[in-house]
Amino acid sequence: MTTSQELPLIGVELPSILTFSELRLQLQEQAPVCRIRTPAGDEGWLVTRHAEVKSLLQNQKLGRSHKDPASAPRFLRNPMLDMLVTSDDIEVEKERHEQKRVLYTKSFAARRVIERKERVIGIANAKLDAIIAAGPPVDLHDAYSMDYSQQALCDMVGIPEEDRRKLLDMMDTVGASDQDQAEAGMDPLFGFGADIGERRRSDLGDDVISRFIESGLTNEEIGLHVVTLLFTGLSGLASHLDFGVLLFLRNPEQLAKALADPEIMARAVDEVMRATISSPVLPRYASEDIEIGGVTIREGDLVMLDFSLANFDARAFDEPHRFDVTRSPNHHFTFGHGMRHCTGAPLVRIILAVAYTTLFERLPGLRLAVPESALETHPGGRLAGGLEKFPLTW
């Protein structure tokens, strides 16, 4: 019998560049559902394979509900992640989730996103104008992956330009590793988000906040939704932008295919989403006992769905370690699945497709300025994903 002290510890070490730790690969080979210990010191289950992840994403017994949220096992201790845990009954949680999906779908419908594509292209070109004017080399992570992602997402959400820096700095504080500092920053952050909502009531436009206002949300509700959207979106966008560029540089023949055909570039974005490796951090809990993968997940247990491992499961993907921009179908889980599919997926696809296309068309000679072995993943925190630094030249 494995004791809690002997359980494999998941998620502390920084991942290698676009590779898994040996431990995660061993666990996937060992079983589809494995007992683990988390960085917070709690016990939980890691779901490692595609079929079982898909099954649990469709299982109504798994959600964010826990009878005692304050003592619920955690993967990481962070106030933004803690907010995801609710004491609502699972049926109430499901109802609220469906209401939120309806609200978000109005804002992130593909038609609405496509209508704003030209604005996103303008933001990308403005960032590249500055990069080209400064000359090589460039740290693409800071100058493009982070800055472009922040501006493109804030523009779509409807954050006024004069408020963006302050809002992002406040989000930095809440995402800090220091728990006391993070918790102290929560109320000011949501208060500022609510203040933005109030000021936007007299200046409606074609953006997410305006549609929140038209849907009857209070300022406090707007602040909560805006901060949540930015937290869930920004680090993911920066990571996928960094690692997508690196994957294209590693695979120039795949880049050529994607640049030659917008439809292939759209598929390429999904392949980047599949091939970028992240940690399983979103907490889920069993509201009843669940039998799956040869084990019994007990009511109240923490369940971590490892989307990245599932995206590389050879049982579901042919040659999963090959980067293939024409891969079809590409049933990755980076956007979730079913009722838990990300409503912001159309926006992410547009932002990334524009980012890659504009970057490589304007800088066709783009290449690494350092050996790839010198690259390091970002140490983490709030909005920072991707690489610590990404030196490129042309």
mmCIF file of all heavy atoms in Angstrom, residues 270-287:
data_model
loop_
_atom_site.group_PDB
_atom_site.id
_atom_site.type_symbol
_atom_site.label_atom_id
_atom_site.label_comp_id
_atom_site.label_asym_id
_atom_site.label_seq_id
_atom_site.Cartn_x
_atom_site.Cartn_y
_atom_site.Cartn_z
ATOM 1 N N ASP A 270 -4.535 24.924 -33.724
ATOM 2 C CA ASP A 270 -4.973 23.813 -32.885
ATOM 3 C C ASP A 270 -3.845 22.826 -32.613
ATOM 4 O O ASP A 270 -3.775 22.245 -31.524
ATOM 5 C CB ASP A 270 -6.166 23.097 -33.534
ATOM 6 C CG ASP A 270 -7.481 23.743 -33.144
ATOM 7 O OD1 ASP A 270 -7.892 23.588 -31.986
ATOM 8 O OD2 ASP A 270 -8.101 24.405 -33.997
ATOM 9 N N GLU A 271 -2.944 22.658 -33.574
ATOM 10 C CA GLU A 271 -1.812 21.765 -33.329
ATOM 11 C C GLU A 271 -0.863 22.360 -32.297
ATOM 12 O O GLU A 271 -0.309 21.632 -31.462
ATOM 13 C CB GLU A 271 -1.076 21.478 -34.651
ATOM 14 C CG GLU A 271 0.110 20.548 -34.532
ATOM 15 C CD GLU A 271 -0.234 19.099 -34.159
ATOM 16 O OE1 GLU A 271 -1.370 18.828 -33.713
ATOM 17 O OE2 GLU A 271 0.650 18.229 -34.293
ATOM 18 N N VAL A 272 -0.684 23.684 -32.326
ATOM 19 C CA VAL A 272 0.106 24.338 -31.274
ATOM 20 C C VAL A 272 -0.574 24.157 -29.921
ATOM 21 O O VAL A 272 0.081 23.859 -28.912
ATOM 22 C CB VAL A 272 0.297 25.837 -31.585
ATOM 23 C CG1 VAL A 272 0.896 26.561 -30.375
ATOM 24 C CG2 VAL A 272 1.190 26.028 -32.805
ATOM 25 N N MET A 273 -1.902 24.318 -29.891
ATOM 26 C CA MET A 273 -2.633 24.128 -28.640
ATOM 27 C C MET A 273 -2.436 22.718 -28.098
ATOM 28 O O MET A 273 -2.281 22.515 -26.896
ATOM 29 C CB MET A 273 -4.132 24.376 -28.857
ATOM 30 C CG MET A 273 -4.498 25.757 -29.357
ATOM 31 S SD MET A 273 -4.069 27.104 -28.239
ATOM 32 C CE MET A 273 -5.255 26.846 -26.933
ATOM 33 N N ARG A 274 -2.429 21.743 -28.985
ATOM 34 C CA ARG A 274 -2.231 20.355 -28.565
ATOM 35 C C ARG A 274 -0.807 20.125 -28.087
ATOM 36 O O ARG A 274 -0.583 19.459 -27.069
ATOM 37 C CB ARG A 274 -2.532 19.407 -29.735
ATOM 38 C CG ARG A 274 -2.437 17.914 -29.366
ATOM 39 C CD ARG A 274 -2.416 17.026 -30.601
ATOM 40 N NE ARG A 274 -1.165 17.149 -31.352
ATOM 41 C CZ ARG A 274 -0.050 16.495 -31.056
ATOM 42 N NH1 ARG A 274 -0.005 15.660 -30.028
ATOM 43 N NH2 ARG A 274 1.040 16.673 -31.788
ATOM 44 N N ALA A 275 0.161 20.665 -28.812
ATOM 45 C CA ALA A 275 1.566 20.318 -28.591
ATOM 46 C C ALA A 275 2.236 21.121 -27.479
ATOM 47 O O ALA A 275 3.326 20.759 -27.036
ATOM 48 C CB ALA A 275 2.346 20.488 -29.892
ATOM 49 N N THR A 276 1.619 22.217 -27.025
ATOM 50 C CA THR A 276 2.190 23.002 -25.933
ATOM 51 C C THR A 276 1.862 22.325 -24.605
ATOM 52 O O THR A 276 0.714 21.981 -24.346
ATOM 53 C CB THR A 276 1.645 24.435 -25.951
ATOM 54 O OG1 THR A 276 2.039 25.062 -27.174
ATOM 55 C CG2 THR A 276 2.191 25.245 -24.791
ATOM 56 N N ILE A 277 2.866 22.155 -23.772
ATOM 57 C CA ILE A 277 2.720 21.376 -22.538
ATOM 58 C C ILE A 277 2.567 22.307 -21.341
ATOM 59 O O ILE A 277 3.345 23.249 -21.166
ATOM 60 C CB ILE A 277 3.935 20.448 -22.350
ATOM 61 C CG1 ILE A 277 3.964 19.415 -23.486
ATOM 62 C CG2 ILE A 277 3.915 19.767 -20.989
ATOM 63 C CD1 ILE A 277 5.248 18.619 -23.569
ATOM 64 N N SER A 278 1.552 22.036 -20.545
ATOM 65 C CA SER A 278 1.315 22.839 -19.337
ATOM 66 C C SER A 278 1.025 21.916 -18.161
ATOM 67 O O SER A 278 0.875 20.709 -18.332
ATOM 68 C CB SER A 278 0.144 23.801 -19.563
ATOM 69 O OG SER A 278 -1.037 23.079 -19.863
ATOM 70 N N SER A 279 0.946 22.488 -16.978
ATOM 71 C CA SER A 279 0.663 21.708 -15.777
ATOM 72 C C SER A 279 -0.841 21.640 -15.541
ATOM 73 O O SER A 279 -1.574 22.572 -15.883
ATOM 74 C CB SER A 279 1.329 22.345 -14.554
ATOM 75 O OG SER A 279 2.731 22.327 -14.691
ATOM 76 N N PRO A 280 -1.319 20.558 -14.920
ATOM 77 C CA PRO A 280 -2.755 20.431 -14.627
ATOM 78 C C PRO A 280 -3.098 21.150 -13.330
ATOM 79 O O PRO A 280 -2.909 20.616 -12.235
ATOM 80 C CB PRO A 280 -2.925 18.909 -14.485
ATOM 81 C CG PRO A 280 -1.603 18.435 -13.966
ATOM 82 C CD PRO A 280 -0.558 19.360 -14.539
ATOM 83 N N VAL A 281 -3.588 22.389 -13.409
ATOM 84 C CA VAL A 281 -3.741 23.179 -12.185
ATOM 85 C C VAL A 281 -5.190 23.426 -11.783
ATOM 86 O O VAL A 281 -5.440 23.822 -10.645
ATOM 87 C CB VAL A 281 -3.022 24.542 -12.307
ATOM 88 C CG1 VAL A 281 -1.534 24.356 -12.466
ATOM 89 C CG2 VAL A 281 -3.597 25.360 -13.452
ATOM 90 N N LEU A 282 -6.171 23.235 -12.666
ATOM 91 C CA LEU A 282 -7.549 23.576 -12.329
ATOM 92 C C LEU A 282 -8.169 22.495 -11.453
ATOM 93 O O LEU A 282 -8.235 21.331 -11.858
ATOM 94 C CB LEU A 282 -8.385 23.770 -13.597
ATOM 95 C CG LEU A 282 -7.983 24.957 -14.475
ATOM 96 C CD1 LEU A 282 -8.868 25.020 -15.704
ATOM 97 C CD2 LEU A 282 -8.049 26.259 -13.695
ATOM 98 N N PRO A 283 -8.624 22.858 -10.247
ATOM 99 C CA PRO A 283 -9.146 21.848 -9.326
ATOM 100 C C PRO A 283 -10.565 21.407 -9.691
ATOM 101 O O PRO A 283 -11.415 22.221 -10.045
ATOM 102 C CB PRO A 283 -9.149 22.580 -7.982
ATOM 103 C CG PRO A 283 -9.353 24.017 -8.351
ATOM 104 C CD PRO A 283 -8.646 24.216 -9.674
ATOM 105 N N ARG A 284 -10.812 20.103 -9.595
ATOM 106 C CA ARG A 284 -12.155 19.542 -9.743
ATOM 107 C C ARG A 284 -12.366 18.532 -8.618
ATOM 108 O O ARG A 284 -11.402 17.928 -8.139
ATOM 109 C CB ARG A 284 -12.324 18.871 -11.109
ATOM 110 C CG ARG A 284 -12.313 19.854 -12.280
ATOM 111 C CD ARG A 284 -12.358 19.116 -13.621
ATOM 112 N NE ARG A 284 -12.558 20.037 -14.736
ATOM 113 C CZ ARG A 284 -11.580 20.661 -15.378
ATOM 114 N NH1 ARG A 284 -10.329 20.470 -15.001
ATOM 115 N NH2 ARG A 284 -11.843 21.472 -16.383
ATOM 116 N N TYR A 285 -13.638 18.362 -8.234
ATOM 117 C CA TYR A 285 -13.958 17.492 -7.106
ATOM 118 C C TYR A 285 -15.111 16.559 -7.466
ATOM 119 O O TYR A 285 -16.016 16.931 -8.231
ATOM 120 C CB TYR A 285 -14.330 18.327 -5.871
ATOM 121 C CG TYR A 285 -13.221 19.252 -5.434
ATOM 122 C CD1 TYR A 285 -13.172 20.568 -5.873
ATOM 123 C CD2 TYR A 285 -12.194 18.785 -4.620
ATOM 124 C CE1 TYR A 285 -12.139 21.409 -5.502
ATOM 125 C CE2 TYR A 285 -11.148 19.621 -4.244
ATOM 126 C CZ TYR A 285 -11.127 20.933 -4.688
ATOM 127 O OH TYR A 285 -10.091 21.758 -4.324
ATOM 128 N N ALA A 286 -15.063 15.367 -6.910
ATOM 129 C CA ALA A 286 -16.138 14.397 -7.107
ATOM 130 C C ALA A 286 -17.267 14.700 -6.135
ATOM 131 O O ALA A 286 -17.047 14.776 -4.921
ATOM 132 C CB ALA A 286 -15.612 12.983 -6.890
ATOM 133 N N SER A 287 -18.493 14.886 -6.655
ATOM 134 C CA SER A 287 -19.647 15.110 -5.781
ATOM 135 C C SER A 287 -20.241 13.793 -5.307
ATOM 136 O O SER A 287 -21.023 13.771 -4.358
ATOM 137 C CB SER A 287 -20.720 15.930 -6.511
ATOM 138 O OG SER A 287 -21.176 15.243 -7.665
#
